[in-house]
Amino acid sequence: MLKTKVTEKLGIEYPIIQGGMMWISTAELASAVSNAGGLGIITALSFDTPEKLAAEIDKAKSLTDKPFGVNLTFLPTLRPVNYDAYIDVIIDKGIKIIETAGRNPEAYMDKLKSNGITVIHKCTSVRHALKAQKIGCDFVSIDGFECAGHPGEDDVTSLILIPRAVDELDIPVIASGGFGDGRGLVAALALGAEGVNMGTRFVATKEAPVHENIKKRLIEAKETDTMLVERSLKNTVRVLRNKHAEKVLEMENNGATLQELAPLLSGLRGLEAIKTGDCESALFACGQIVGLINDIPTVKELIDNIVKEAEEIINQRLKNIFS
């Protein structure tokens, strides 16, 4: 039994959270995670209307009776997003856990908290974590430099960033960036976190709605097969190394503007690629944990193995060290 503030507050069995991933964090994946004892999360902006999000939440409810959450990321977009409408759906559907990311969610906090919603804010620095605490967030999910997607601009690894956040904050910390097995879970708990958030590891599962070609590519990849793009735009993203990412980086190094880069950065390219299995024509968010991914289990097998490994480390290896 792994009992932490995450399991107690969120009503889940294990302190393992599936992060919100664009196009990938669907009802099928989220419900599988929740059914296996973790916390599944649906990504709201994968759906271009609040009505479609509502339908996806209904689908998840038909697949699990366990708690699950919704991710809502506040980022500049070419298409204006009616965040209030998405939040209204989250509230109307009785969702009690939300993962926020991107910009400060302060403008929406009163609405969320007055409806009894637990807010997990994902951020990449201690200063942003302190702000999240100040505005009333219940948890901070702190993203280390190893993470997939946006690691921020400070380049601080999880080994340092997690205990720094724990030392500074009064609210519980969730470790994100570089986690995918039982060793990582134990390490996160040892650093003071109350649980882990995993993204890339959940992509390489049978339930993830991603073409098999991409899952196989993750198995083949090493920890050195990710790279950083969009750094010139102050919007750094860690992605899987491929021809498309190399082209983006080359253009950045040659001084390309946002307008020149925009067609290559479109998320719709990624959506098409995860459907067709074309591993070279889009940016794929991918963390350095990819170096530790060697199989494509079911979500239940993955979570069961993580918990089993963590318990063995805690009850046997660590115990024997101090015997």
Side-chain angles (χ1 to χ4, degrees), residues 48-321:
D48 58 7
T49 69
E51 292 75 19
K52 290 180 182 178
L53 171 62
E56 194 71 9
I57 291 173
D58 286 341
K59 184 189 296 185
K61 287 183 175 182
S62 74
L63 297 171
T64 184
D65 59 359
K66 304 291 181 65
F68 65 91
V70 173
N71 165 279
L72 193 55
T73 299
F74 303 98
L75 288 174
T77 60
L78 295 176
R79 175 181 63 87
V81 175
N82 186 346
Y83 287 108
D84 278 300
Y86 280 93
I87 290 173
D88 286 342
V89 165
I90 292 168
I91 293 169
D92 291 344
K93 291 297 178 180
I95 299 299
K96 294 301 181 184
I97 303 167
I98 186 169
E99 177 191 63
T100 59
R103 291 199 305 257
N104 184 338
E106 185 172 8
Y108 307 95
M109 286 298 293
D110 285 346
K111 191 172 187 178
L112 294 170
K113 300 304 293 181
S114 65
N115 283 279
I117 294 176
T118 296
V119 180
I120 304 168
H121 186 62
K122 181 176 283 190
C123 49
T124 60
S125 70
V126 173
R127 64 184 181 278
H128 292 142
L130 286 167
K131 180 63 176 178
Q133 174 177 273
K134 184 177 181 180
I135 66 174
C137 294
D138 299 279
F139 292 89
V140 160
S141 182
I142 196 84
D143 252 348
F145 187 52
E146 304 93 329
C147 74
H150 298 279
E153 308 300 321
D154 294 341
D155 301 357
V156 181
T157 66
S158 291
L159 189 62
I160 305 302
L161 189 56
I162 294 163
R164 277 284 295 116
V166 169
D167 287 348
E168 293 280 349
L169 297 173
D170 297 319
I171 60 175
V173 172
I174 296 164
S176 182
F179 299 97
D181 60 18
R183 295 172 296 182
L185 175 56
V186 174
L189 297 175
L191 293 172
E194 297 289 334
V196 295
N197 178 296
M198 305 190 322
T200 303
R201 175 64 267 204
F202 277 120
V203 177
T205 59
K206 295 190 184 301
E207 292 90 342
V210 174
H211 196 283
E212 290 302 308
N213 289 355
I214 295 172
K215 295 179 185 181
K216 291 176 182 177
R217 179 69 170 269
L218 294 181
I219 291 176
E220 296 166 356
K222 303 301 181 186
E223 65 277 6
T224 52
D225 290 326
T226 73
M227 56 189 291
L228 301 175
V229 296
E230 298 185 48
R231 179 138 278 194
S232 65
L233 306 177
K234 303 298 182 184
N235 187 46
T236 303
V237 185
R238 184 178 296 282
V239 298
L240 184 67
R241 186 179 298 277
N242 63 11
K243 292 178 181 178
H244 189 76
E246 295 280 10
K247 181 178 180 180
V248 170
L249 184 60
E250 180 182 5
M251 290 178 63
E252 287 190 80
N253 290 338
N254 289 330
T257 65
L258 173 59
Q259 289 72 23
E260 292 169 325
L261 290 167
L264 282 73
L265 307 180
S266 170
L268 293 177
R269 297 180 71 105
L271 175 60
E272 182 67 16
I274 66 173
K275 291 179 178 178
T276 64
D278 184 345
C279 297
E280 299 294 339
S281 63
L283 297 178
F284 297 101
C286 181
Q288 291 179 329
I289 190 64
V290 72
L292 296 179
I293 296 176
N294 302 304
D295 60 356
I296 306 173
T298 66
V299 165
K300 179 172 172 45
E301 289 169 342
L302 173 61
I303 291 179
D304 285 350
N305 288 338
I306 289 173
V307 172
K308 180 181 178 182
E309 183 180 28
E311 290 179 341
E312 288 176 349
I313 292 170
I314 293 169
N315 294 326
Q316 296 179 29
R317 183 172 184 273
L318 295 183
K319 182 179 178 181
N320 290 336
I321 287 175

